[in-house]
Amino acid sequence: MTDVDRATITETNWTPEQKAEFIRRRRGRNWALFGGMIGLCLLIYAIAVVKLYHAGHMW
Amino acid sequence: MSDTILRASASLGGPAPVATTEQAVLDQAILGGTTVDWLALLKPRVMSLVVYTGAAGLLVAPGTINPILAFTAILCIAMGAGAAGSINMWYDRDIDAIMRRTAKRPVPSGRISPEGALGFGVGLSVLSVLLMWLATNLLAAAILAISIGFYVFVYTMWLKRRTPQNIVIGGAAGAFPPIIGWVAVTGHLALLPILLFAIVFIWTPPHFWSLSLFASADYEKAGVPMLPVVAGARATRLAVMRYTLWLVPVSLLPYVLHLAGPFYGASAMILGLTFIWYASGVVRDKQDATGVSQTRDAPAKAAFKYSILYLFLIFGALVVDHFL
Protein backbone atom coordinates (compact mmCIF):
# COMPACT_ATOMS: atom_id res chain seq x y z
CA MET A 1 0.00 0.00 0.00
CA THR A 2 1.45 3.35 -1.00
CA ASP A 3 1.19 6.53 1.04
CA VAL A 4 -1.42 7.90 -1.34
CA ASP A 5 -3.46 4.70 -0.99
CA ARG A 6 -3.36 5.00 2.78
CA ALA A 7 -4.62 8.58 2.56
CA THR A 8 -7.78 7.48 0.75
CA ILE A 9 -8.92 5.74 3.93
CA THR A 10 -9.71 9.12 5.48
CA GLU A 11 -12.94 9.50 3.48
CA THR A 12 -12.30 13.09 2.59
CA ASN A 13 -11.90 14.79 -0.72
CA TRP A 14 -8.53 16.32 -0.14
CA THR A 15 -6.25 17.56 -2.81
CA PRO A 16 -3.05 15.56 -3.34
CA GLU A 17 -1.18 18.23 -1.37
CA GLN A 18 -3.51 17.82 1.60
CA LYS A 19 -3.14 14.06 1.49
CA ALA A 20 0.63 14.37 1.41
CA GLU A 21 0.50 16.77 4.36
CA PHE A 22 -1.75 14.41 6.32
CA ILE A 23 0.65 11.54 5.72
CA ARG A 24 3.65 13.67 6.68
CA ARG A 25 2.03 14.73 9.94
CA ARG A 26 0.83 11.24 10.78
CA ARG A 27 4.29 9.80 10.14
CA GLY A 28 5.83 12.44 12.41
CA ARG A 29 3.34 11.65 15.18
CA ASN A 30 3.91 7.92 14.83
CA TRP A 31 7.66 8.28 15.08
CA ALA A 32 7.30 10.54 18.12
CA LEU A 33 4.96 8.02 19.76
CA PHE A 34 7.32 5.18 18.93
CA GLY A 35 10.25 7.08 20.42
CA GLY A 36 8.22 7.94 23.51
CA MET A 37 7.18 4.33 24.06
CA ILE A 38 10.71 3.01 23.60
CA GLY A 39 11.95 5.67 26.02
CA LEU A 40 9.27 4.75 28.55
CA CYS A 41 10.14 1.04 28.32
CA LEU A 42 13.82 1.77 28.84
CA LEU A 43 13.06 4.10 31.74
CA ILE A 44 10.83 1.57 33.52
CA TYR A 45 13.47 -1.11 32.97
CA ALA A 46 16.15 1.18 34.43
CA ILE A 47 13.92 2.05 37.42
CA ALA A 48 13.34 -1.67 38.03
CA VAL A 49 17.08 -2.37 37.94
CA VAL A 50 17.83 0.48 40.36
CA LYS A 51 15.05 -0.53 42.75
CA LEU A 52 16.08 -4.19 42.75
CA TYR A 53 19.73 -3.27 43.18
CA HIS A 54 19.01 -1.07 46.18
CA ALA A 55 16.76 -3.76 47.64
CA GLY A 56 19.61 -6.26 47.35
CA HIS A 57 17.78 -8.55 44.98
CA MET A 58 20.34 -8.29 42.17
CA TRP A 59 23.76 -9.84 42.16
CA MET B 1 -16.94 15.71 8.91
CA SER B 2 -17.12 19.20 10.39
CA ASP B 3 -20.36 18.41 12.18
CA THR B 4 -18.83 15.23 13.53
CA ILE B 5 -15.94 17.13 15.03
CA LEU B 6 -18.14 19.76 16.63
CA ARG B 7 -20.56 17.13 18.00
CA ALA B 8 -17.71 15.08 19.42
CA SER B 9 -16.31 18.21 20.98
CA ALA B 10 -19.61 19.19 22.53
CA SER B 11 -20.21 15.71 23.92
CA LEU B 12 -17.08 16.00 26.05
CA GLY B 13 -18.65 18.68 28.23
CA GLY B 14 -16.84 21.78 29.47
CA PRO B 15 -17.27 25.08 27.69
CA ALA B 16 -18.99 25.22 24.34
CA PRO B 17 -16.75 24.42 21.40
CA VAL B 18 -15.52 27.30 19.33
CA ALA B 19 -18.27 27.72 16.79
CA THR B 20 -16.13 28.16 13.73
CA THR B 21 -17.04 26.40 10.54
CA GLU B 22 -14.22 27.72 8.45
CA GLN B 23 -13.07 24.95 6.18
CA ALA B 24 -9.43 25.81 6.73
CA VAL B 25 -9.72 25.30 10.48
CA LEU B 26 -11.60 22.04 10.05
CA ASP B 27 -9.05 20.81 7.56
CA GLN B 28 -6.40 21.45 10.16
CA ALA B 29 -8.38 19.41 12.69
CA ILE B 30 -8.75 16.52 10.27
CA LEU B 31 -5.09 16.63 9.28
CA GLY B 32 -4.08 16.45 12.94
CA GLY B 33 -1.29 18.44 14.54
CA THR B 34 2.39 18.01 14.00
CA THR B 35 4.65 16.72 16.77
CA VAL B 36 5.53 20.34 17.54
CA ASP B 37 1.84 21.14 18.00
CA TRP B 38 1.46 18.30 20.51
CA LEU B 39 4.50 19.52 22.40
CA ALA B 40 3.03 23.05 22.40
CA LEU B 41 0.03 21.64 24.31
CA LEU B 42 2.40 21.05 27.22
CA LYS B 43 3.10 24.81 27.59
CA PRO B 44 6.89 24.36 27.44
CA ARG B 45 7.73 27.80 28.83
CA VAL B 46 5.59 27.27 31.93
CA MET B 47 6.98 23.75 32.17
CA SER B 48 10.56 25.03 32.22
CA LEU B 49 9.89 27.10 35.37
CA VAL B 50 8.11 24.20 37.03
CA VAL B 51 10.92 21.78 36.19
CA TYR B 52 13.49 24.25 37.43
CA THR B 53 11.85 24.81 40.82
CA GLY B 54 11.16 21.08 41.15
CA ALA B 55 14.80 20.28 40.42
CA ALA B 56 15.87 22.88 42.98
CA GLY B 57 13.68 21.24 45.62
CA LEU B 58 15.21 17.89 44.75
CA LEU B 59 18.79 19.19 44.87
CA VAL B 60 18.54 20.96 48.23
CA ALA B 61 16.79 18.05 49.94
CA PRO B 62 18.90 16.15 52.48
CA GLY B 63 19.90 12.65 51.52
CA THR B 64 20.69 11.10 48.18
CA ILE B 65 18.71 9.75 45.30
CA ASN B 66 19.84 7.58 42.42
CA PRO B 67 20.39 9.76 39.31
CA ILE B 68 17.98 7.64 37.26
CA LEU B 69 15.26 8.08 39.89
CA ALA B 70 16.04 11.81 40.14
CA PHE B 71 15.75 12.13 36.37
CA THR B 72 12.46 10.24 36.46
CA ALA B 73 11.11 12.47 39.23
CA ILE B 74 11.94 15.61 37.23
CA LEU B 75 10.47 14.04 34.10
CA CYS B 76 7.26 13.25 36.00
CA ILE B 77 7.01 16.82 37.28
CA ALA B 78 7.45 18.04 33.69
CA MET B 79 4.87 15.58 32.35
CA GLY B 80 2.40 16.43 35.09
CA ALA B 81 2.74 20.16 34.46
CA GLY B 82 2.44 19.62 30.72
CA ALA B 83 -0.59 17.38 31.17
CA ALA B 84 -2.32 20.03 33.27
CA GLY B 85 -1.51 22.58 30.56
CA SER B 86 -3.00 20.34 27.89
CA ILE B 87 -6.25 19.88 29.85
CA ASN B 88 -6.29 23.63 30.46
CA MET B 89 -6.05 24.23 26.70
CA TRP B 90 -8.93 21.81 26.15
CA TYR B 91 -11.16 23.55 28.68
CA ASP B 92 -10.20 27.12 27.76
CA ARG B 93 -10.37 26.67 23.99
CA ASP B 94 -13.33 29.02 23.71
CA ILE B 95 -11.62 31.96 25.43
CA ASP B 96 -8.22 31.09 23.94
CA ALA B 97 -9.74 31.59 20.50
CA ILE B 98 -10.85 35.09 21.48
CA MET B 99 -7.58 36.28 23.00
CA ARG B 100 -4.86 37.36 20.58
CA ARG B 101 -2.13 36.01 22.89
CA THR B 102 -3.56 32.49 22.79
CA ALA B 103 -5.49 32.30 19.50
CA LYS B 104 -2.64 30.53 17.74
CA ARG B 105 -2.51 27.69 20.24
CA PRO B 106 -3.03 24.24 18.68
CA VAL B 107 -6.64 23.73 19.84
CA PRO B 108 -8.25 27.11 19.02
CA SER B 109 -6.41 27.22 15.71
CA GLY B 110 -7.80 23.78 14.88
CA ARG B 111 -4.49 21.95 14.52
CA ILE B 112 -5.38 19.59 17.35
CA SER B 113 -8.92 18.51 18.19
CA PRO B 114 -10.29 19.31 21.68
CA GLU B 115 -10.81 15.64 22.46
CA GLY B 116 -7.23 14.94 21.39
CA ALA B 117 -5.90 17.56 23.80
CA LEU B 118 -8.08 16.23 26.62
CA GLY B 119 -7.05 12.62 26.04
CA PHE B 120 -3.40 13.59 25.80
CA GLY B 121 -3.62 15.55 29.06
CA VAL B 122 -5.47 12.87 31.01
CA GLY B 123 -3.18 10.12 29.71
CA LEU B 124 -0.03 12.03 30.58
CA SER B 125 -1.44 12.92 34.03
CA VAL B 126 -2.05 9.27 34.90
CA LEU B 127 1.30 8.21 33.47
CA SER B 128 3.24 10.91 35.34
CA VAL B 129 1.65 10.07 38.71
CA LEU B 130 2.11 6.31 38.32
CA LEU B 131 5.68 6.71 37.14
CA MET B 132 6.45 9.04 40.05
CA TRP B 133 5.05 6.44 42.47
CA LEU B 134 7.07 3.68 40.83
CA ALA B 135 10.32 5.65 40.84
CA THR B 136 10.11 7.51 44.16
CA ASN B 137 7.31 7.24 46.71
CA LEU B 138 3.56 7.47 47.20
CA LEU B 139 3.65 10.89 48.90
CA ALA B 140 5.50 12.51 45.99
CA ALA B 141 3.05 10.92 43.55
CA ALA B 142 0.08 12.07 45.64
CA ILE B 143 1.33 15.67 45.78
CA LEU B 144 1.91 15.58 42.02
CA ALA B 145 -1.67 14.35 41.53
CA ILE B 146 -2.96 17.10 43.84
CA SER B 147 -1.03 19.77 41.92
CA ILE B 148 -2.44 18.58 38.58
CA GLY B 149 -5.95 18.40 40.04
CA PHE B 150 -5.58 21.82 41.64
CA TYR B 151 -4.55 23.41 38.35
CA VAL B 152 -7.30 21.72 36.36
CA PHE B 153 -10.28 21.74 38.75
CA VAL B 154 -9.59 24.60 41.16
CA TYR B 155 -7.82 27.10 38.90
CA THR B 156 -8.98 26.33 35.35
CA MET B 157 -12.55 25.15 35.91
CA TRP B 158 -13.55 26.92 39.11
CA LEU B 159 -11.63 30.15 39.72
CA LYS B 160 -10.32 31.45 36.41
CA ARG B 161 -13.66 32.65 35.06
CA ARG B 162 -15.21 33.59 38.39
CA THR B 163 -12.93 35.78 40.46
CA PRO B 164 -10.04 38.23 40.08
CA GLN B 165 -8.36 36.23 42.84
CA ASN B 166 -8.02 33.36 40.34
CA ILE B 167 -4.26 33.49 40.07
CA VAL B 168 -3.74 34.18 43.78
CA ILE B 169 -5.38 30.92 44.85
CA GLY B 170 -4.67 29.07 41.61
CA GLY B 171 -1.01 30.00 41.92
CA ALA B 172 -0.69 27.23 44.48
CA ALA B 173 -0.70 24.72 41.63
CA GLY B 174 2.57 26.10 40.29
CA ALA B 175 4.08 26.23 43.76
CA PHE B 176 3.97 22.48 44.43
CA PRO B 177 7.02 21.36 42.37
CA PRO B 178 9.72 22.25 44.96
CA ILE B 179 7.77 20.21 47.50
CA ILE B 180 7.48 17.30 45.05
CA GLY B 181 11.21 17.40 44.32
CA TRP B 182 12.01 17.43 48.04
CA VAL B 183 9.60 14.62 48.92
CA ALA B 184 10.88 12.52 46.01
CA VAL B 185 14.24 12.40 47.83
CA THR B 186 13.21 12.34 51.48
CA GLY B 187 9.77 10.78 51.48
CA HIS B 188 8.43 13.38 53.91
CA LEU B 189 7.62 17.08 54.19
CA ALA B 190 9.74 19.67 55.98
CA LEU B 191 9.77 23.41 56.62
CA LEU B 192 12.15 24.43 53.79
CA PRO B 193 10.07 23.04 50.91
CA ILE B 194 6.98 24.65 52.46
CA LEU B 195 8.84 27.98 52.44
CA LEU B 196 9.79 27.39 48.80
CA PHE B 197 6.11 26.75 48.12
CA ALA B 198 5.32 30.07 49.82
CA ILE B 199 7.89 31.94 47.72
CA VAL B 200 6.41 30.70 44.42
CA PHE B 201 2.88 31.21 45.77
CA ILE B 202 3.48 34.88 46.64
CA TRP B 203 5.59 35.44 43.52
CA THR B 204 2.71 34.37 41.25
CA PRO B 205 0.36 37.40 41.69
CA PRO B 206 2.88 40.13 40.79
CA HIS B 207 4.10 37.93 37.93
CA PHE B 208 0.64 37.38 36.44
CA TRP B 209 -0.79 40.79 37.25
CA SER B 210 2.15 42.43 35.46
CA LEU B 211 1.23 40.30 32.45
CA SER B 212 -2.47 41.07 32.81
CA LEU B 213 -1.77 44.82 32.82
CA PHE B 214 -0.54 44.72 29.23
CA ALA B 215 -2.92 41.91 28.19
CA SER B 216 -6.04 43.30 29.90
CA ALA B 217 -7.78 44.08 26.59
CA ASP B 218 -7.48 40.40 25.68
CA TYR B 219 -8.85 39.26 29.04
CA GLU B 220 -11.70 41.78 28.88
CA LYS B 221 -12.65 40.63 25.38
CA ALA B 222 -12.73 37.01 26.58
CA GLY B 223 -14.64 37.86 29.77
CA VAL B 224 -11.92 36.62 32.11
CA PRO B 225 -12.16 38.61 35.37
CA MET B 226 -8.48 39.38 35.78
CA LEU B 227 -7.75 42.12 38.29
CA PRO B 228 -7.20 44.98 35.76
CA VAL B 229 -10.54 44.12 34.12
CA VAL B 230 -12.49 44.02 37.39
CA ALA B 231 -10.69 46.49 39.66
CA GLY B 232 -8.89 48.64 37.10
CA ALA B 233 -5.26 49.20 36.23
CA ARG B 234 -4.49 51.46 39.19
CA ALA B 235 -5.64 48.88 41.76
CA THR B 236 -3.64 46.22 39.90
CA ARG B 237 -0.47 48.31 40.03
CA LEU B 238 -0.84 48.68 43.79
CA ALA B 239 -1.54 44.96 44.14
CA VAL B 240 1.66 44.16 42.24
CA MET B 241 3.58 46.33 44.67
CA ARG B 242 1.79 44.90 47.72
CA TYR B 243 2.59 41.28 46.86
CA THR B 244 6.16 42.15 45.90
CA LEU B 245 6.61 43.77 49.31
CA TRP B 246 5.32 40.55 50.88
CA LEU B 247 7.60 38.44 48.73
CA VAL B 248 10.83 39.92 50.05
CA PRO B 249 10.45 38.96 53.74
CA VAL B 250 9.02 35.56 52.81
CA SER B 251 11.99 34.90 50.50
CA LEU B 252 14.33 35.76 53.38
CA LEU B 253 12.72 33.26 55.77
CA PRO B 254 14.94 30.30 54.74
CA TYR B 255 17.97 32.39 55.75
CA VAL B 256 16.40 33.84 58.91
CA LEU B 257 15.38 30.35 60.06
CA HIS B 258 18.88 28.99 59.34
CA LEU B 259 17.64 26.71 56.58
CA ALA B 260 19.87 28.45 54.03
CA GLY B 261 23.19 30.26 54.27
CA PRO B 262 24.36 33.85 53.83
CA PHE B 263 24.84 33.51 50.06
CA TYR B 264 21.16 32.76 49.69
CA GLY B 265 20.22 35.49 52.18
CA ALA B 266 22.22 38.16 50.34
CA SER B 267 20.92 36.98 46.97
CA ALA B 268 17.30 37.00 48.18
CA MET B 269 17.73 40.51 49.54
CA ILE B 270 19.30 41.90 46.34
CA LEU B 271 16.84 40.12 44.04
CA GLY B 272 13.91 41.18 46.21
CA LEU B 273 14.92 44.83 46.33
CA THR B 274 15.36 44.77 42.55
CA PHE B 275 11.87 43.30 42.23
CA ILE B 276 10.51 46.13 44.40
CA TRP B 277 12.26 48.62 42.12
CA TYR B 278 10.55 47.07 39.08
CA ALA B 279 7.19 47.00 40.90
CA SER B 280 7.60 50.67 41.81
CA GLY B 281 8.12 51.33 38.11
CA VAL B 282 4.75 49.71 37.47
CA VAL B 283 3.13 51.94 40.11
CA ARG B 284 4.89 55.09 38.84
CA ASP B 285 4.15 54.37 35.17
CA LYS B 286 2.82 57.39 33.28
CA GLN B 287 -0.94 56.80 33.26
CA ASP B 288 -4.27 58.49 32.73
CA ALA B 289 -6.92 59.14 35.37
CA THR B 290 -8.08 55.50 35.32
CA GLY B 291 -4.58 54.14 35.64
CA VAL B 292 -4.22 53.05 32.02
CA SER B 293 -0.60 53.25 30.87
CA GLN B 294 0.56 55.98 28.51
CA THR B 295 3.78 54.08 27.82
CA ARG B 296 2.29 50.89 26.37
CA ASP B 297 2.87 49.30 29.77
CA ALA B 298 6.63 49.24 29.35
CA PRO B 299 7.23 49.03 33.14
CA ALA B 300 4.72 46.17 33.48
CA LYS B 301 6.45 44.29 30.64
CA ALA B 302 9.81 44.88 32.31
CA ALA B 303 8.45 43.69 35.67
CA PHE B 304 6.99 40.59 34.04
CA LYS B 305 10.31 39.69 32.43
CA TYR B 306 12.19 40.38 35.64
CA SER B 307 9.78 38.22 37.65
CA ILE B 308 10.78 35.21 35.54
CA LEU B 309 14.45 36.01 35.99
CA TYR B 310 13.85 36.48 39.72
CA LEU B 311 12.47 32.99 40.13
CA PHE B 312 15.35 31.43 38.21
CA LEU B 313 17.94 33.35 40.19
CA ILE B 314 16.51 32.90 43.67
CA PHE B 315 16.16 29.13 43.27
CA GLY B 316 19.59 29.06 41.64
CA ALA B 317 21.00 30.92 44.64
CA LEU B 318 19.39 28.39 46.98
CA VAL B 319 21.00 25.49 45.14
CA VAL B 320 24.41 27.19 44.97
CA ASP B 321 24.16 28.05 48.68
CA HIS B 322 23.35 24.42 49.47
CA PHE B 323 26.56 23.21 47.83
CA LEU B 324 28.82 25.99 49.20
Side-chain angles (χ1 to χ4, degrees):
Chain A
M1 184 184 283
T2 66
D3 286 344
V4 175
D5 290 335
R6 276 195 288 269
T8 59
I9 297 169
T10 59
E11 298 177 0
T12 60
N13 53 353
W14 287 333
T15 63
E17 290 78 17
Q18 284 174 311
K19 286 177 183 173
E21 176 64 11
F22 170 77
I23 290 162
R24 188 187 71 79
R25 290 188 188 192
R26 187 175 59 183
R27 185 180 292 131
R29 291 194 298 267
N30 286 344
W31 276 111
L33 191 58
F34 175 72
M37 291 182 78
I38 293 291
L40 185 63
C41 291
L42 291 175
L43 188 61
I44 290 175
Y45 176 72
I47 291 168
V49 169
V50 169
K51 290 273 181 182
L52 288 172
Y53 180 77
H54 284 294
H57 295 311
M58 286 186 78
W59 304 292
Chain B
M1 179 63 88
S2 62
D3 286 348
T4 307
I5 290 172
L6 291 174
R7 272 201 304 275
S9 170
S11 69
L12 285 164
V18 179
T20 175
T21 54
E22 291 177 22
Q23 192 58 45
V25 174
L26 291 172
D27 281 348
Q28 288 292 324
I30 298 162
L31 285 168
T34 63
T35 309
V36 174
D37 290 327
W38 287 94
L39 289 177
L41 280 180
L42 306 178
K43 297 190 177 180
R45 278 187 292 185
V46 176
M47 188 198 283
S48 65
L49 277 178
V50 166
V51 165
Y52 185 76
T53 57
L58 189 142
L59 286 169
V60 300
T64 56
I65 183 171
N66 184 284
I68 291 172
L69 302 184
F71 168 78
T72 307
I74 300 298
L75 180 70
C76 289
I77 292 172
M79 286 199 310
S86 183
I87 299 171
N88 170 275
M89 284 201 204
W90 160 74
Y91 191 82
D92 279 346
R93 63 192 182 279
D94 55 341
I95 56 176
D96 279 353
I98 297 168
M99 296 197 289
R100 194 175 58 177
R101 190 173 65 87
T102 53
K104 290 181 180 172
R105 283 177 173 175
V107 178
S109 61
R111 298 195 304 279
I112 289 176
S113 65
E115 57 269 37
L118 176 62
F120 187 52
V122 171
L124 266 188
S125 298
V126 173
L127 181 64
S128 65
V129 171
L130 290 179
L131 200 56
M132 179 69 94
W133 187 8
L134 181 70
T136 62
N137 54 68
L138 182 58
L139 183 59
I143 298 172
L144 179 62
I146 289 169
S147 70
I148 296 169
F150 199 92
Y151 187 77
V152 170
F153 297 110
V154 177
Y155 171 68
T156 302
M157 296 185 179
W158 181 32
L159 297 172
K160 185 173 179 180
R161 302 179 192 220
R162 282 181 174 79
T163 167
Q165 298 299 312
N166 47 17
I167 51 102
V168 178
I169 305 163
F176 279 113
I179 295 183
I180 299 169
W182 177 286
V183 171
V185 177
T186 64
H188 58 80
L189 276 168
L191 182 57
L192 182 57
I194 292 171
L195 292 177
L196 299 182
F197 174 94
I199 290 170
V200 182
F201 183 70
I202 297 175
W203 164 88
T204 305
H207 168 72
F208 262 107
W209 283 336
S210 297
L211 166 74
S212 67
L213 274 170
F214 57 84
S216 61
D218 251 4
Y219 286 117
E220 191 169 7
K221 198 164 64 173
V224 180
M226 291 298 282
L227 196 58
V229 177
V230 175
R234 190 183 302 279
T236 307
R237 294 173 195 284
L238 293 173
V240 167
M241 175 55 92
R242 194 164 55 244
Y243 275 85
T244 308
L245 288 173
W246 270 104
L247 180 60
V248 177
V250 170
S251 70
L252 285 169
L253 280 177
Y255 171 69
V256 173
L257 298 174
H258 304 292
L259 299 168
F263 178 79
Y264 171 79
S267 302
M269 179 61 84
I270 293 166
L271 291 168
L273 291 176
T274 310
F275 205 164
I276 289 174
W277 185 79
Y278 275 98
S280 71
V282 174
V283 174
R284 290 183 287 104
D285 189 15
K286 195 177 173 188
Q287 52 202 280
D288 64 14
T290 59
V292 175
S293 175
Q294 305 291 297
T295 63
R296 295 188 174 185
D297 281 309
K301 287 173 183 166
F304 175 72
K305 282 181 188 167
Y306 177 75
S307 68
I308 296 169
L309 182 66
Y310 172 88
L311 202 66
F312 269 103
L313 291 180
I314 199 162
F315 275 82
L318 188 75
V319 173
V320 170
D321 184 87
H322 178 76
F323 289 106
L324 281 178

